[in-house]
Amino acid sequence: MKCIHVAGTNGKGSTCRFAHRFLSNAGLRTGLFTSPHMVCVRERLILGEEAIPETEFVDLVERVLPHAEAIGATYFEALTAMGALWFSERGAEAVVLETGLGGRLDSTTAFPAEVCAVAQVGLDHVAILGDTVEKIWREKIAILRPGKPLLTCETRGPLLAELREFAELRGGEAIQLDLADGFRPMGLPPGAVQERNLLLARRSVETFLGRDLPVAEIESALAGMRWPGRFERVAGRPEVVLDVGHNPDAAHELALIVAPLRPVLLFGAMADKNWREVLAHLVPVCSTVHLVPLDLPRAERPQAIAAAFPGAIAHPSYETAWRGALHEAAILDVPVLVAGSFHTVGQAARLLWSEGRYGFWPNGVEPDPQLPGMG
């Protein structure tokens, strides 16, 4: 199979989803490997618009797990191996891969890739990847395969210089995209970041296919496209907006979009995330803030967050926070914005589904019986 491989701090998942639609629309049997998931682990393995069936997933677990345990492989590495087997055996002609963490040491680099891309890079996972953008950039661009191209919308001179030097060392090609080439087709989620993600996906697919994608073909591919949790608006009274952005750069972009809406914020985060800076962006543009507890060892306690942001309401359960946010938003006639973590957004999606207001994507997915595990 042939692959497009995407890394980045923010936007890599959206870039992958756009590329997946372009390749599928071009007639290729296209797989999509992303992480984490919101409600079901099978979201991570997609062919066309269908998630891997439960029976096939279980079969792959039984085949891969003994080997994974024998070498001490991680949860994510085992899933990568399962993806490789499934895409190969199901005849995928192209696969779009989202890097799990970083790039240089990520298990997705085991796949061959014809084209690599790096989306927006910022500070996240600093304890693992490094405490500067330069160190994190170094980890991300290391997905470049020998002799192959790597595309980016990055504009910072020192980072681009390092990419060109690295590409020369590997006999590859560094391609900086011109942001002026971007455009906003109908149905694209709001925000300038999504325009850059779309441009990166378009040029990566064009490089992969060896031809241009006309505007009409792009719009055809995007028609009816769903990408859960990426400024996803769920109709109703009140409207609910789901967004999985969970680092300061993502929160800054989200705040610019929601500021005119003045939503009620429903928020929960992991303790190892920079939730203080995330909320510093979101709190000023939201009417009120409701904090949820997440039943995970890594989760930050709502009381600790409330201590840093007086006025935010710490709730004893997700359900009470959910009901309180919906009630308040209905009175104020504003949306509820759910953000801060895949876990936070995933639980909201479950509740919306139980109320008959939400349908899961990809096709064939149902919620796992417990909170999603990010791996």
Side-chain angles (χ1 to χ4, degrees):
M1 70 188 79
K2 294 183 177 181
C3 304
I4 293 176
H5 192 190
V6 183
T9 306
N10 292 309
K12 61 183 183 295
S14 295
T15 300
C16 285
R17 177 64 173 134
F18 291 142
H20 172 245
R21 287 287 286 202
F22 295 154
L23 291 169
S24 296
N25 194 60
L28 295 177
R29 186 170 173 80
T30 306
L32 177 64
F33 183 85
T34 62
S35 63
H37 58 271
M38 287 208 319
V39 298
C40 177
V41 68
R42 292 186 293 110
E43 295 170 34
R44 299 177 182 230
L45 297 171
I46 299 168
L47 199 55
E49 299 292 310
E50 302 286 334
I52 180 173
E54 189 173 285
T55 54
E56 294 181 34
F57 185 88
V58 171
D59 174 66
L60 283 172
V61 170
E62 292 175 343
R63 291 166 60 190
V64 168
L65 196 58
H67 301 285
E69 290 178 332
I71 64 171
T74 66
Y75 171 80
F76 184 79
E77 289 165 344
L79 283 168
T80 305
M82 290 167 58
L85 281 172
W86 189 62
F87 293 135
S88 176
E89 293 171 359
R90 290 293 298 270
E93 298 167 289
V95 176
V96 183
L97 300 159
E98 179 186 10
T99 301
L101 176 64
R104 180 174 61 91
L105 299 177
D106 196 80
S107 58
T108 51
T109 58
F111 282 78
E114 295 300 306
V115 177
C116 295
V118 175
Q120 295 83 36
V121 173
L123 294 176
D124 200 5
H125 301 290
V126 293
I128 300 171
L129 302 179
D131 57 0
T132 67
V133 169
E134 289 77 14
K135 291 177 181 176
I136 293 173
W137 173 255
R138 213 164 290 137
E139 294 289 323
K140 307 287 187 186
I141 64 173
I143 67 169
L144 189 152
R145 306 303 200 276
K148 303 295 184 180
L150 185 147
L151 291 75
T152 183
C153 292
E154 182 57 61
T155 59
R156 287 168 282 191
L159 301 186
L160 291 170
E162 184 158 6
L163 172 59
R164 286 190 287 269
E165 183 179 337
F166 183 68
E168 185 176 351
L169 183 67
R170 286 207 167 173
E173 182 183 6
I175 302 175
Q176 179 192 11
L177 302 182
D178 184 353
L179 298 181
D181 289 343
F183 76 109
R184 174 166 289 278
M186 292 290 293
L188 187 71
V193 166
Q194 287 294 11
E195 287 188 25
R196 294 200 296 271
N197 296 337
L198 181 65
L199 174 63
L200 185 59
R202 176 186 186 179
R203 297 302 184 214
S204 296
V205 169
E206 289 175 337
T207 304
F208 183 89
L209 295 175
R211 66 172 179 85
D212 291 341
L213 292 178
V215 170
E217 187 173 346
I218 292 170
E219 292 178 336
S220 170
L222 296 182
M225 187 193 94
R226 285 193 60 199
W227 187 222
R230 279 69 175 184
F231 201 80
E232 186 179 22
R233 304 182 76 157
V234 183
R237 189 174 187 277
E239 179 185 43
V240 177
V241 179
L242 306 176
D243 196 282
V244 295
H246 54 268
N247 58 48
D249 288 342
H252 172 69
E253 295 289 339
L254 179 59
L256 294 176
I257 298 169
V258 302
L261 305 176
R262 297 293 300 173
V264 170
L265 176 63
L266 190 75
F267 185 88
M270 299 298 105
D272 59 351
K273 294 296 181 181
N274 189 353
W275 50 262
R276 287 178 177 81
E277 193 172 342
V278 168
L279 283 174
H281 289 296
L282 294 178
V283 168
V285 301
C286 293
S287 296
T288 57
V289 180
H290 294 260
L291 303 172
V292 301
L294 299 172
D295 189 19
L296 296 154
R298 290 177 52 223
E300 184 60 271
R301 295 181 307 110
Q303 294 78 8
I305 300 176
F309 288 88
I313 304 169
H315 288 269
S317 71
Y318 197 108
E319 288 70 23
T320 59
W322 176 252
R323 290 195 298 270
L326 290 180
H327 178 72
E328 193 167 25
I331 293 173
L332 296 173
D333 195 23
V334 298
V336 172
L337 170 64
V338 185
S341 165
F342 272 82
H343 296 287
T344 306
V345 174
Q347 189 68 349
R350 291 164 181 269
L351 290 168
L352 288 167
W353 174 71
S354 69
E355 296 170 6
R357 294 178 60 186
Y358 191 77
F360 291 115
W361 183 90
N363 300 333
V365 158
E366 294 180 0
D368 288 336
Q370 59 186 11
L371 279 173
M374 292 168 65

